[in-house]
Amino acid sequence: MKKFFSLFAFVLLAVAAKAERTYTLASPDGHLQTTVTVAETLTYDIVLDGRRIMEPSPLSMTLSDGTVWGDKAVVRKAVRGNHSGTVASPLYRSAEIEECYNSLTLRMKGNWAVEFRAYDDGIAYRFVSEAKSPFTVAAEEVSYRFPEDFTATVPYVRKGKDGDWNAQFFNSFENTYTVAKLSELNAGRLAFLPLMVDAGEGTKVCVTESDLCDYPGLYLYNSDGDTSLEGMFAPCPVHAEAGGYNRIQRVVKKYAPHIADIDGARTFPWRVAVVGSDTEVAASDLSYLLASPSKIADTSWIKPGKVAWDWWNAWNISGVDFRAGINTRTYEYYIDFAAANGIEYVILDDGWAVGRGEDLFQINPDVDLQHIVDYGRDKGVGIILWAGYMAFNRDLEKVCKHYSEMGVKGFKVDFMDHDDQQMVAFNHRAAEMAAKYHLVLDLHGTHKPAGLNRTWPNILNFEGVHGLEQMKWRTNAVDQMRYDATIPFIRQVAGPMDYTQGAMLNATRSNFRPCRSEPMSQGTRCHQLALYVVLESPLNMLCDSPTHYMREPECTEFIAAVPTVWDQTCILDGRVGEYIVTARRKGTTWYVGGITNWDARNLELDLSALGSGDCKVTLFRDGVNADRKATDYRKETFVARSGEPVKVSLAPGGGFAAVVEFVSGAAE
């Protein structure tokens, strides 16, 4: 009898072993690999140079009819592939990007598949539906199971009580980062993407998603106090009403019991783990590369550039003979400033329409909009209009057609504040309609780009960042300097962001205070200048008053000259939360920017990484008294000899910005 049971157990084990199938996929350079296991559940891991940095983690998708893609899956066919080439990216941080990966697609019984890609800097996967009939997705299992209690850097949703998921789904995707052990993360609080896990030995894992289209965005949380992160998605809204700020926000009153309605065959968003050192993660282009290619055949009409912005500085101009505010004379002043400095756009923010944006066809009687548009056109300055979500969405084509015919160049759309399936679909629909009428978009109050800037390049910028606008009302208890030194390694991995830098009133940590009418920045003047290089913003704001800029001609000249799209980008040095040095090239000219947190820092710049020979350097650096008076800076021009490092001292909260031009005929 004992022999019988032993034999039976052996048979069961043999059957189980036969049912389990494993597939290993390595990156092109061989350093990174994943093993996909198909058994009772579907799992994958991540191994870097032989060290497992993520344990086998389950992935599945549950349909509303009870079908689970991932449980007891049966592989019909395994297809391996590889790719090497370049991707044109004319409105990005590099004019073209190299793309090289190995792939594995497992086609499963039941008309679905899962696709994996291994890049040198990350592992990504996505589900694929091969079904022709419509269906609904009840849930998707996303899990990142780490082998140790690593330290995580996460941006929590700010709104809603702990555990009240529906309330937390209504959020602006703006918060500073919480740094904690995985086991210590708040079990009742969602974190939005991207976020980062420190896997030890100098390795970071930045988790994000790409090609997010007609599907809800991913949140992560730790529900069990272990070393895992689990996914959560907003359900489909069933009933929503206008509410919130000036009734221009959508307030969801009822959700469906599922997360997505699917028409049939399609691909789902990529789940992305960017893996590497601090600087390697900051340099990653995976969010862009994994997105769907541009849906706009002719992009020649899309014009990036800088924007003279009115709202942050509260229309505070001086030395004029008219009352400043939301009126025609004030906007003529902004246009004159923009034209004099080669700035491409002026934005009319909240207030140009009656009712604070509830109706975009009821124009403020103090604003002669057609005159302003014509005045700007005659001076080579385009006009962008702010628009609240509800009014813009309600009259989408009517608004785009009318204002395009008037001569308006684009819209800054605000207060979406969700990333459920309907709102994600709105971003695509808005981009498509805007493109139809040759309008650019700046999506404010929305989630990370998730590749949308590649698919719809007329969306020049996105918020989803705790930007400078927050400093109008946040106290110095908020460490914005640490935040600034963190976002290039995390939030920026997902794409460009409308941070709205350029403050001319700068303050040390002890001197900083919130002020809505005359706001200031934490950190030094050179920190603000450097942000125009460090941060990616194809549509980049000048947040401060034209009056202030005209009193600071050296700084204004630099800001006005900095490009907003680039031929090449290099991350020269940096550590998450501490400092970063970024170099970007346009034509033959390099711009180099560096920022630090509240720690003073001495840096040595190796410019040989940018080219050979001597070079002319125009440097803006913190002044010797910048630790006491944050506006103190020095501008100097010198020749840096080939092979000699450039030494720069950064004050607490400081920075530097440099223009580097290699001397013609310099030695190689």
Side-chain angles (χ1 to χ4, degrees):
M1 194 68 177
K2 188 182 265 188
K3 289 183 178 180
F4 172 78
F5 280 114
S6 296
L7 179 62
F8 182 69
F10 176 79
V11 171
L12 287 179
L13 288 171
V15 171
K18 186 176 180 180
E20 180 178 295
R21 303 179 70 173
T22 61
Y23 305 84
T24 299
L25 179 69
S27 61
D29 65 7
H31 290 285
L32 197 63
Q33 72 174 39
T34 182
T35 296
V36 182
T37 301
V38 185
E40 288 292 309
T41 58
L42 177 63
T43 67
Y44 81 111
D45 67 359
I46 300 177
V47 175
L48 176 65
D49 291 329
R51 182 171 71 98
R52 179 178 276 173
I53 60 174
M54 190 182 81
E55 294 288 335
S57 301
L59 56 148
S60 68
M61 186 173 286
T62 301
L63 311 189
S64 294
D65 65 1
T67 301
V68 181
W69 294 351
D71 285 2
K72 300 178 182 175
V74 178
V75 179
R76 291 191 293 111
K77 187 177 183 181
V79 181
R80 294 184 178 272
N82 59 77
H83 173 80
S84 182
T86 58
V87 173
S89 47
L91 296 167
Y92 187 56
R93 61 180 177 180
S94 297
E96 64 178 22
I97 310 167
E98 292 185 5
E99 183 175 39
C100 187
Y101 63 83
N102 294 326
S103 64
L104 169 68
T105 301
L106 301 178
R107 293 193 171 96
M108 307 293 192
K109 183 179 179 181
N111 294 319
W112 65 279
V114 62
E115 180 181 356
F116 289 84
R117 289 186 187 176
Y119 294 81
D120 289 345
D121 60 341
I123 301 290
Y125 76 87
R126 67 177 175 183
F127 283 99
V128 180
S129 168
E130 298 175 346
K132 296 181 180 179
S133 302
F135 60 94
T136 59
V137 177
E140 181 184 347
E141 181 182 25
V142 181
S143 183
Y144 297 90
R145 299 184 176 179
F146 296 97
E148 300 176 33
D149 197 9
F150 294 141
T151 298
T153 303
V154 305
Y156 285 130
V157 168
R158 282 166 61 182
K159 292 185 177 180
K161 295 181 180 179
D162 287 358
D164 186 346
W165 309 127
N166 287 352
Q168 291 182 42
F169 292 141
F170 186 10
N171 79 95
S172 63
F173 308 92
E174 300 167 292
N175 203 0
T176 55
Y177 292 99
T178 295
V179 181
K181 295 289 187 180
L182 287 164
S183 64
E184 297 171 355
L185 294 177
N186 188 340
R189 180 76 28 194
L190 298 176
F192 54 88
L193 302 185
L195 58 78
M196 178 174 280
V197 175
D198 187 339
E201 300 183 18
T203 299
K204 305 298 194 296
V205 181
C206 184
V207 179
T208 190
E209 61 186 337
S210 185
D211 207 27
L212 181 61
C213 179
D214 200 20
Y215 196 80
L218 171 65
Y219 298 87
L220 292 173
Y221 74 119
N222 186 338
S223 62
D224 299 323
D226 57 10
T227 60
S228 300
L229 295 171
E230 309 294 333
M232 185 177 291
F233 300 86
C236 285
V238 173
H239 176 67
E241 300 174 354
Y245 175 71
N246 287 332
R247 293 182 55 79
I248 63 174
Q249 293 172 280
R250 187 196 65 170
V251 180
V252 180
K253 297 296 186 178
K254 183 180 180 181
Y255 285 103
H258 60 271
I259 65 171
D261 296 300
I262 308 301
D263 291 334
R266 61 162 291 175
T267 59
F268 290 87
W270 288 100
R271 311 288 168 224
V272 188
V274 181
V275 180
S277 67
D278 297 51
T279 55
E280 288 169 339
V281 170
S284 178
D285 296 309
L286 288 190
S287 181
Y288 191 95
L289 291 172
L290 288 164
S292 295
S294 175
K295 294 183 180 294
I296 303 174
D298 176 18
T299 60
S300 61
W301 58 271
I302 302 173
K303 184 179 180 181
K306 287 179 284 292
V307 185
W309 185 32
D310 56 353
W311 181 86
W312 192 80
N313 59 76
W315 302 268
N316 266 328
I317 59 178
S318 59
V320 296
D321 59 358
F322 57 88
R323 186 69 173 173
I326 305 173
N327 57 57
T328 301
R329 293 288 302 279
T330 298
Y331 287 117
E332 288 178 340
Y333 181 92
Y334 276 79
I335 291 169
D336 289 342
F337 163 73
N341 291 278
I343 295 165
E344 291 84 356
Y345 297 100
V346 165
I347 192 167
L348 276 62
D349 214 287
D350 189 8
W352 67 270
V354 174
R356 312 294 292 184
E358 286 188 80
D359 187 344
L360 298 178
F361 294 100
Q362 300 297 316
I363 299 175
N364 185 330
D366 294 328
V367 175
D368 187 340
L369 187 56
Q370 185 65 71
H371 168 77
I372 291 169
V373 171
D374 293 343
Y375 188 83
R377 183 188 61 244
D378 292 343
K379 297 202 168 200
V381 178
I383 299 299
I384 294 174
L385 300 177
W386 179 92
Y389 161 74
M390 289 295 288
F392 192 75
N393 181 52
R394 183 184 63 233
D395 301 316
L396 181 58
E397 181 157 20
K398 184 180 178 183
V399 166
C400 289
K401 183 177 186 296
H402 174 77
Y403 287 107
S404 174
E405 291 174 349
M406 180 182 285
V408 169
K409 298 302 180 182
F411 284 93
K412 174 184 174 181
V413 189
D414 204 352
F415 288 102
M416 283 73 86
D417 295 313
H418 294 82
D419 63 348
D420 53 62
Q421 184 182 24
Q422 291 180 10
M423 194 60 76
V424 170
F426 161 77
N427 284 350
H428 286 259
R429 188 171 69 254
E432 183 175 19
M433 189 61 69
K436 179 179 177 180
Y437 294 100
H438 284 197
L439 296 168
V440 299
L441 291 179
D442 176 4
L443 296 184
H444 227 58
T446 194
H447 55 83
K448 74 246 175 237
L452 195 57
N453 53 312
R454 180 183 181 187
T455 308
W456 293 103
N458 62 319
I459 308 179
L460 290 175
N461 219 345
F462 304 74
E463 194 179 25
V465 64
H466 190 273
L468 196 64
E469 70 173 42
Q470 300 286 331
M471 295 297 100
K472 285 170 72 78
W473 51 79
R474 304 297 294 272
T475 71
N476 61 5
V478 173
D479 189 344
Q480 192 73 0
M481 295 297 91
R482 179 175 179 83
Y483 183 79
D484 286 358
T486 301
I487 51 177
F489 304 92
I490 302 180
R491 165 59 181 85
Q492 196 160 267
V493 173
M497 52 193 169
D498 195 7
Y499 182 97
T500 65
Q501 62 267 40
M504 292 291 105
L505 300 179
N506 318 110
T508 63
R509 193 170 195 174
S510 60
N511 290 339
F512 176 82
R513 61 181 178 85
C515 182
R516 290 179 179 262
S517 60
E518 292 190 276
M520 64 188 71
S521 72
Q522 292 184 3
T524 70
R525 170 70 54 77
C526 286
H527 186 105
Q528 288 294 304
L529 298 183
L531 291 178
Y532 285 95
V533 181
V534 171
L535 304 184
E536 295 171 23
S537 299
L539 189 70
N540 212 344
M541 304 288 171
L542 280 75
C543 69
D544 220 321
S545 166
T547 302
H548 290 166
Y549 289 123
M550 286 187 285
R551 292 171 182 167
E552 301 281 353
E554 284 187 338
C555 297
T556 302
E557 182 181 1
F558 172 81
I559 294 171
V562 176
T564 60
V565 294
W566 305 89
D567 296 324
Q568 185 180 355
T569 291
C570 301
I571 309 300
L572 299 182
D573 195 6
R575 288 196 295 269
V576 177
E578 298 182 24
Y579 72 100
I580 189 169
V581 179
T582 301
R584 303 185 192 271
R585 180 180 60 82
K586 189 70 172 180
T588 60
T589 302
W590 284 93
Y591 291 79
V592 185
I595 59 171
T596 182
N597 55 14
W598 286 116
D599 295 329
R601 199 173 305 275
N602 295 317
L603 299 176
E604 291 191 358
L605 309 180
D606 182 7
L607 300 182
S608 66
L610 311 180
S612 60
D614 300 345
C615 55
K616 176 185 174 184
V617 179
T618 301
L619 175 67
F620 291 81
R621 62 174 177 83
D622 295 326
V624 68
N625 295 304
D627 62 327
R628 301 190 320 182
K629 187 173 179 60
T631 55
D632 185 30
Y633 77 93
R634 288 203 58 187
K635 177 188 177 184
E636 52 192 30
T637 300
F638 56 90
V639 174
R641 300 300 179 186
S642 178
E644 294 182 2
V646 176
K647 297 180 179 181
V648 186
S649 294
L650 279 64
F656 75 89
V659 182
V660 179
E661 300 169 287
F662 283 88
V663 178
S664 177
E668 304 209 352

